[in-house]
Each structure stands twice: as C-alpha cells, then as structure tokens.
Amino acid sequence: MNGDGVIKFKYKFDGKQVPEKEVSGKPVKSLKAKVLSRVFSEDYERVKKKILDPRGPAIRRWNKIFLVACLVSLFVDPLFFYLPVVRHEVCIDIGIPLEVILTIIRTLGDAFYIIQIYIRFRTAYVAPSSRVFGRGELVIDPSKIASRYLKKGFWIDFVAALPLPQVLIWFIIPNLRGSTMRNTKNVLRFIIIFQYLPRLFLIFPLSQQIINATGVVTETAWAGAAYNLVLFMLASHVLGACWYLLSIERQEACWRSVCNSEKPSCQYGYFDCHKVEDPNRESWFKFSNITSLCDPNNVSSYKFGIYADAITFDVTTAPFFNKYFYCLWWGLKNLSSVGQNLATSTYVGEIIFAIIIATLGLVLFALLIGNMQTYLQSTTIRLEEWRIKRTDTEQWMHHRQLPPELRQSVRKYDQYKWVATRGVDEEVLLKGLPTDLRRDIKRHICLDLVRRVPLFDQMDERMLDAICERLKPALCTEGTFLVREGDPVNEMLFIIRGHLDSYTTNGGRTGFFNSCRIGPGDFCGEELLTWALDPRPSVILPSSTRTVKSISEVEAFALRADDLKFVASQFRRLHSKQLRHKFRFYSHQWRTWAACFIQAAWRRYKKRKEAAELRAKENIPAEPDSPQPPSGLSIYAARLSASTRRANKHSRSDSGVVTTLQKPAEPDFSVDEE
C-alpha cells in the first residue's frame, strides 16, 4: 500500500508475470479471492492437489472406471427380483445365500457412487462466459463448485447412492405386519425401479463427458460394437428379471383365487414358507386341490398368459443359475422379436408389460443394429473403398481393351500398394497436422531410413530434418521401369527395400553395355542432384544416363525436383571432401566411368609394356666376326612385331569405345562466391 491508500500486488496468469494492478477502496482479502477464483486449465498446477481439472487425465480415467461400475450396478439391481423362490409345498420363501451375496456386491457398488459425489464436489468447471475453443477459465472456488453441483446433479447422484434394497430387506421388511412375502415383492418392485431409473439416467451424461473429453467412449470399433451389445443384453436381463417376479406374483394370484373358494379353511398367510409347519396349514394342504387347479396345462385352470412358461418349466422352483439363464433367454428372445410371440390374457397389467416389451424392443433393436452397423462398417470401410476402386479399374481396363500383361501389372501394383499402406493416404493425413507435429512424425518415420543412405549419414540434424520433411513414399512392383535412358529425371530415389537393375549403353553406342545392382541404402537419379547443386541451374531437367528397372518389389523415398532444390541449397554450405568422395563412391555413374577409365588405362599400360619388350628383342647387338644372315629369331621377331602392330590397331579401336564414355558432371558442394 502506498501513501495514497492504493494497494499494489502481482500475480501470475497462464504461467507469465502480469504487470501490477492498482485497486483502491477494496479489501485485500476479497480481492485476492476474486483473483484466485478462476484459472485456465493449463495454469492450475498450484491447486491441482485440491481441485481436479474436468478434462485432466485423472478425471478421464475415473469417468471410465465409474462407467464400468454403473453398468455393474445396473446388472446387480435386477438380481434382487430373483430373491423370492417357490417351494413345492406351495409357498414362497427368500433365498438367504443369494440375499447375502447381492447385499455385499450392491454395497461395493454403492461405494463408487459415494466416491463420485465426493469427486464432483472437488472438480472445477469451465466458466460459460470464458469458453475459448471449449477450454476457457476453470472455476476453482470450492464454494462456487459446491453451489453449482447442489443445484445441478447432486440429488440424482444422492438418490442413486442410497443403499435402499439392503436396508429394506434386512431391517424394514422383517418388522412389517402382514405377509412377509407380499411385502418383499411389493417393496422390491417399487424400490428397485425407483432407484434404477436415476442410475440408468447417469449413464447418458457420463458417456457425454467421456465423449467431450476424449472424443469417443471406446477407442476401437470392436469395443464400441461390444458396448452397444452389452446395453442390449442388459435390457434383456432386466426384462427377464421382471418377468420372473411377475410370474411368481401371477402364481400367487392363482393360489389366492383358489384360497378364496376354500375359505374359511384357507388363509393367505399359508403361502408363506414360515408357516409350512402350521398344523392347520398341513390339514388344509392335504385336502386341497390347489396344485391341479393352478396347473397351466389344465384347460379350465387359471389363465397365466405370458407367465405360463415359468410354471410349466418349473422356472420358479429351479436353482438360481437355471432360472437366471432361462429368464435371460426369455427377455432376449422377446426383445429381439419385438414381443410378437407373446400370447397375453385379458389381465391389464400383463398387457401393459407386453406393450412395454414391444415398444422397448423396437427402439433398442433399431439402435443396436444401427450402432453396430456403424461401428463394424468403420473397420472395413477402407477395404470396401479399395474393392470399389479395384472394380472401377477392372471395368476401365476392359473398356480400354488393355493387353493381359498390362492388366496384370496394374493388379500387382494395386495389391502391393494396399498391403503397404492399407488404403491410407499418408500425405493427406499429415497435411491436417500442425507443422511441428508433422515434422516430428516425418522424423520418426524417415530419419533412420535416411541415415542408411551413405550420402546423408554425416549430415547435421537440421539438414536431415529438411530432407525428411520433403520425402515422399514411392512404391513399384517387379518389372517396373523407374526411369529410362535419355528420359528427363524429375526425382531422386533413395531405396529402402528391394533391388533394382541399373544399366546403360552409353547413348546406344554399339558394343557398349554396363549393368549394376542397386539395393537398400543406394540411390538413383543423381543427375538431378548435380543439376540442383548448380548455382545457376537451367529450367530444363537433366536427362538420365541409365535405365533403372525393378527386379523385385521396391519401397523407396523420392525427392522431387523442387524439393531437391531446397535441400541442395543447404548442401552448398558443406565443404566436406568426405561428402564428395562418398558421392563418387556410391554413384553408379561414377562407378561405371571409373571402371571404364581404369580398364582403358590398364590396356594402354599393357600395350606400352609389350611394345617395349619387342623393341628390346629387335635391338639385340650381333658379334662383329660372324656373318649376318637372317636368323630364325630375327624372322620370328619381325613377324611378332607385325602381329603386335595389328593387335595394337584393333585394341586402339576397342579402347576408343571405353575412352569415349564422358566423365559425369561433379556436384558443386562449395558456396557460390557471388
């Protein structure tokens, strides 16, 4: 605070120091709270231990975990409908072992909902007035976060987290008056459905949060298809459990109708298994005809409608796993067939249940087919596009009446390109990325391959980046001519995989032929490099001095003429003799010229040596007293000299073919002084 009563303070915003702010007439505490109540998501490091970023990795991971917990809870809750069990003594009981297991699992599931409530109170939110490209400022004030959460979403989470079934089954229902079984069924029916709806509702905003943070719920198409199938199976599971509980209620309703006709000897309490040992019940049950009257196979019996199968196949009295899988199958069958096979009675509740099955089956089955078709088609869309393109190519070749060998070459190239790229256009994919990211990707893909080329092995990182950024992938099949002798060279190729045959006839000269093999690490088209390194290159592209043909499937990287000009401008800054020697050593043009030059020099050396030996033999001095008739040695030497002169004349013509091969132009690696 200065002498004028003005407070000066500094704070950081987005990682940078902000100039001093002057505030007059406001308390320091409220001003500091106002400054620290909002922060960008990229600059909330100082509060991340207390407040969570809604788009941070921790929240994204928790949302996926909580989504799985919600699905498990939605699966567990309908299992409470299987607690009532029908005994053969015409009574209904509660399965205690199943009740204990479901209580433990349900309690563990409720813990995730409680953790979700705690996390929601500690998760910041984006201020709606400051959103920039979906990010914006994060509100990190705990009071504001709690106030917003209490107004929006808290009560649904709170109802979903309540352990209602456990409390009701273990504490409330046993203390109620009346039939325990009837209370159990009614409470299970209404409480489970009452709590199931908010738990089901939480799935949709949770999935939307995952989509907003990561773009998709599942990373792969197969996982997305499986996720939709799980939701459909979950609906079948719920319908099967409801059908089981309603079947027991319909069976008990039949017992009550028979009991009404046999009063006063029959009471509703007899259908509770706790009263099986009651003497009055034993005498009533002994003389009662309730089992035959409540048999669905009896024509004059009670109308069970869609619940007849549960009594006919003893589903209500079967062990847990037997009745569960049968009920799951019943729900899946009728949900998939939209309830077309359901033969209902005139009971209104049964008809409403059948209508719900038909409507829900129509909607869910349409969604399942649509979503699964979308996900599964996304896995084969590239393959279908390739097939359509191949069909178009076949029709075009047939229309143009191409010969069989050309058709086969086109088919081989399409097949090889599909195997190598799987239909993905890398250039189009990379163009949509930022420059820095595109450079890093190109460096990751091409750097090791470029360093295999000896010409680029010892260049610095900046030059290698410039080369990698401009390389284009090139593919060719066996028998393809990459360039022919005399054609203009418009690109320089660096071989990554495969082999090529490079040969020349020195412009079609008679009696001259040279061939060499090019493999991984070699390059061709160095005429273009010489042209690009010229400080004042001409507009006309250089002509190829060799024919290059692939002898196997080849993968390479190509540098176009324009791109090579840019890279060549970097080469001129090199004064390395080692680079010049490497260029000469690995260039097949220089190799051919060097071999021919050495061959011509060796022939000239041999001729000079043979001529010197002949002259030495012809000039041997004779003895003074001896006569000088022509001896056989001199005659032989004369004949040998004549034959040597003829051989020298012939070899001179041969060496002329060799010496006429022009020396290749050498790239200028020096800087232009001008």
Side-chain angles (χ1 to χ4, degrees):
M1 179 180 294
N2 58 14
D4 300 331
V6 178
I7 301 174
K8 294 185 178 181
F9 64 95
K10 296 181 180 180
Y11 63 95
K12 287 187 177 181
F13 185 76
D14 198 16
K16 298 180 181 178
Q17 188 75 28
V18 179
E20 291 185 352
K21 302 291 182 180
E22 296 186 358
V23 182
S24 178
K26 293 185 179 181
V28 178
K29 185 176 181 181
S30 63
L31 186 60
K32 181 179 180 182
K34 183 177 180 181
V35 172
L36 297 179
S37 64
R38 289 188 179 186
V39 67
F40 281 111
S41 59
E42 294 83 2
D43 191 41
Y44 89 118
E45 295 293 329
R46 49 200 170 95
V47 294
K48 70 178 183 178
K49 293 183 179 180
K50 299 180 180 179
I51 303 298
L52 299 174
D53 186 358
R55 295 193 178 183
I59 291 296
R60 290 202 301 265
R61 193 180 303 110
W62 165 253
N63 284 338
K64 293 183 178 180
I65 295 173
F66 185 59
L67 179 61
V68 175
C70 289
L71 293 176
V72 173
S73 298
L74 292 176
F75 173 80
V76 171
D77 285 357
L79 293 178
F80 282 93
F81 290 164
Y82 293 98
L83 289 179
V85 179
V86 175
R87 304 299 182 188
H88 292 287
E89 293 84 1
V90 189
C91 65
I92 301 175
D93 196 5
I94 294 293
I96 300 299
L98 180 62
E99 186 177 6
V100 174
I101 295 173
L102 292 180
T103 300
I104 295 173
I105 298 176
R106 169 67 190 248
T107 304
L108 294 176
D110 293 342
F112 284 92
Y113 288 91
I114 297 174
I115 297 173
Q116 170 70 0
I117 294 175
Y118 173 77
I119 290 178
R120 290 290 298 273
F121 273 114
R122 311 306 300 174
T123 303
Y125 66 93
V126 179
S129 60
S130 65
R131 286 181 179 172
V132 181
F133 294 105
R135 303 296 293 184
E137 294 179 346
L138 292 178
V139 179
I140 59 175
D141 188 2
S143 61
K144 292 183 178 180
I145 295 174
S147 176
R148 182 176 181 269
Y149 180 47
L150 288 173
K151 295 178 181 178
K152 184 179 179 181
F154 169 74
W155 298 107
I156 296 179
D157 293 343
F158 178 73
V159 172
L162 292 176
L164 296 179
Q166 302 95 300
V167 175
L168 292 172
I169 290 175
W170 292 101
F171 300 104
I172 297 179
I173 293 179
N175 297 323
L176 292 177
R177 294 182 179 181
S179 176
T180 305
M181 291 303 103
R182 188 170 187 178
N183 292 332
T184 303
K185 294 195 301 296
N186 293 333
V187 169
L188 284 176
R189 182 194 307 166
F190 293 107
I191 294 301
I192 294 296
I193 294 176
F194 170 76
Q195 199 174 24
Y196 198 83
L197 293 178
R199 289 195 169 194
L200 181 63
F201 175 77
L202 288 178
I203 294 291
F204 302 103
L206 186 61
S207 301
Q208 191 62 38
Q209 290 179 15
I210 297 175
I211 292 174
N212 292 337
T214 61
V216 290
V217 177
T218 57
E219 298 294 337
T220 61
W222 287 105
Y227 175 70
N228 284 272
L229 183 60
V230 166
L231 294 180
F232 189 80
M233 296 294 294
L234 183 62
S236 303
H237 162 71
V238 174
L239 287 178
C242 293
W243 176 75
Y244 174 80
L245 184 62
L246 294 175
S247 299
I248 290 183
E249 287 191 351
R250 180 57 65 89
Q251 191 171 12
E252 188 182 11
C254 179
W255 295 345
R256 289 175 182 273
S257 65
V258 174
C259 185
N260 290 332
S261 62
E262 296 182 357
K263 281 185 177 181
S265 59
C266 177
Q267 299 179 8
Y268 290 161
Y270 289 166
F271 304 129
D272 192 340
C273 288
H274 294 92
K275 296 185 178 182
V276 172
E277 298 179 357
D278 190 348
N280 296 329
R281 186 193 184 280
E282 291 181 359
S283 60
W284 165 79
F285 182 70
K286 186 175 182 180
F287 297 100
S288 176
N289 198 22
I290 190 171
T291 54
S292 61
L293 293 176
C294 291
D295 186 3
N297 297 322
N298 190 355
V299 179
S300 60
S301 66
Y302 191 81
K303 301 300 180 184
F304 288 94
I306 62 176
Y307 310 111
D309 290 345
I311 294 92
T312 303
F313 298 110
D314 297 329
V315 177
T316 57
T317 60
F320 171 73
F321 286 103
N322 296 45
K323 63 185 177 184
Y324 168 73
F325 284 107
Y326 185 89
C327 294
L328 177 63
W329 159 243
W330 188 93
L332 181 61
K333 176 183 66 174
N334 290 283
L335 198 63
S336 303
S337 62
V338 199
Q340 295 180 3
N341 299 324
L342 295 177
T344 63
S345 63
T346 57
Y347 183 60
V348 178
E350 181 183 344
I351 296 174
I352 293 175
F353 183 60
I355 292 174
I356 293 175
I357 292 176
T359 306
L360 194 63
L362 183 64
V363 175
L364 292 180
F365 193 70
L367 289 175
L368 173 68
I369 296 300
N371 292 334
M372 290 195 68
Q373 184 179 9
T374 301
Y375 281 111
L376 296 180
Q377 279 183 347
S378 64
T379 61
T380 58
I381 185 171
R382 294 290 182 186
L383 182 59
E384 292 301 324
E385 289 178 355
W386 175 70
R387 287 175 179 171
I388 294 173
K389 184 178 179 181
R390 190 168 184 177
T391 302
D392 295 341
T393 304
E394 292 290 339
Q395 293 177 354
W396 175 79
M397 291 191 297
H398 177 72
H399 175 69
R400 292 298 181 183
Q401 297 182 358
L402 296 183
E405 57 273 11
L406 288 181
R407 295 188 185 187
Q408 187 63 25
S409 299
V410 172
R411 294 189 190 105
K412 286 174 61 178
Y413 176 77
D414 286 343
Q415 183 71 28
Y416 183 51
K417 186 176 181 181
W418 167 257
V419 172
T421 64
R422 287 297 174 183
V424 178
D425 192 344
E426 294 182 357
E427 295 302 318
V428 175
L429 189 64
L430 290 174
K431 284 181 180 178
L433 299 176
T435 304
D436 186 59
L437 183 57
R438 184 168 62 245
R439 184 184 297 113
D440 292 341
I441 294 175
K442 279 280 192 177
R443 180 183 177 87
H444 171 74
I445 296 175
C446 305
L447 184 61
D448 292 338
L449 300 176
V450 168
R451 279 179 171 168
R452 293 181 188 176
V453 180
L455 186 62
F456 300 148
D457 186 22
Q458 296 186 356
M459 292 185 180
D460 58 14
E461 298 296 327
R462 186 174 58 84
M463 292 185 182
L464 291 177
D465 286 341
I467 294 172
C468 292
E469 190 174 357
R470 287 161 176 80
L471 286 177
K472 303 293 187 299
L475 303 173
C476 59
T477 56
E478 182 181 356
T480 303
F481 285 90
L482 278 73
V483 65
R484 297 177 186 269
E485 188 174 356
D487 291 345
V489 182
N490 54 11
E491 63 183 10
M492 189 175 180
L493 289 175
F494 302 94
I495 313 304
I496 305 302
R497 193 174 294 107
H499 293 85
L500 302 100
D501 186 18
S502 174
Y503 58 89
T504 179
T505 59
N506 194 21
R509 187 177 301 276
T510 304
F512 185 91
F513 181 82
N514 173 261
S515 176
C516 63
R517 180 72 62 87
I518 299 177
D522 294 329
F523 54 89
C524 61
E526 61 268 28
E527 301 92 346
L528 193 64
L529 179 61
T530 305
W531 169 82
L533 285 172
D534 189 351
R536 290 174 291 273
S538 61
V539 180
I540 303 175
L541 294 175
S543 300
S544 176
T545 59
R546 306 181 70 86
T547 298
V548 181
K549 180 181 179 181
S550 62
I551 57 178
S552 65
E553 294 178 342
V554 175
E555 292 185 30
F557 283 111
L559 268 178
R560 310 290 182 183
D562 296 336
D563 297 330
L564 192 57
K565 271 188 180 181
F566 177 83
V567 177
S569 65
Q570 308 297 324
F571 287 154
R572 291 198 196 99
R573 301 179 183 179
L574 292 176
H575 298 275
S576 173
K577 292 184 179 180
Q578 186 177 6
L579 181 62
R580 183 175 306 182
H581 294 328
K582 279 192 174 183
F583 178 81
R584 289 179 176 178
F585 181 77
Y586 288 99
S587 171
H588 44 265
Q589 295 187 58
W590 278 88
R591 287 180 179 181
T592 303
W593 179 83
C596 294
F597 183 83
I598 294 173
Q599 185 180 11
W602 174 253
R603 289 180 179 179
R604 289 194 298 269
Y605 169 75
K606 290 289 290 183
K607 287 187 292 184
R608 289 195 299 268
K609 184 178 180 181
E610 291 175 358
E613 290 178 354
L614 288 176
R615 285 195 300 269
K617 292 179 181 180
E618 290 178 352
N619 296 330
I620 296 176
E623 295 180 2
D625 298 334
S626 62
Q628 298 180 357
S631 63
L633 181 60
S634 60
I635 295 173
Y636 174 75
R639 292 178 180 176
L640 184 60
S641 176
S643 62
T644 302
R645 285 193 295 271
R646 288 194 299 270
N648 289 340
K649 183 178 180 180
H650 182 68
S651 62
R652 191 178 298 112
S653 61
D654 291 342
S655 62
V657 176
V658 175
T659 55
T660 54
L661 182 65
Q662 296 183 357
K663 181 180 179 180
E666 185 173 2
D668 185 10
F669 290 99
S670 62
V671 180
D672 188 8
E673 298 295 338
E674 297 180 1

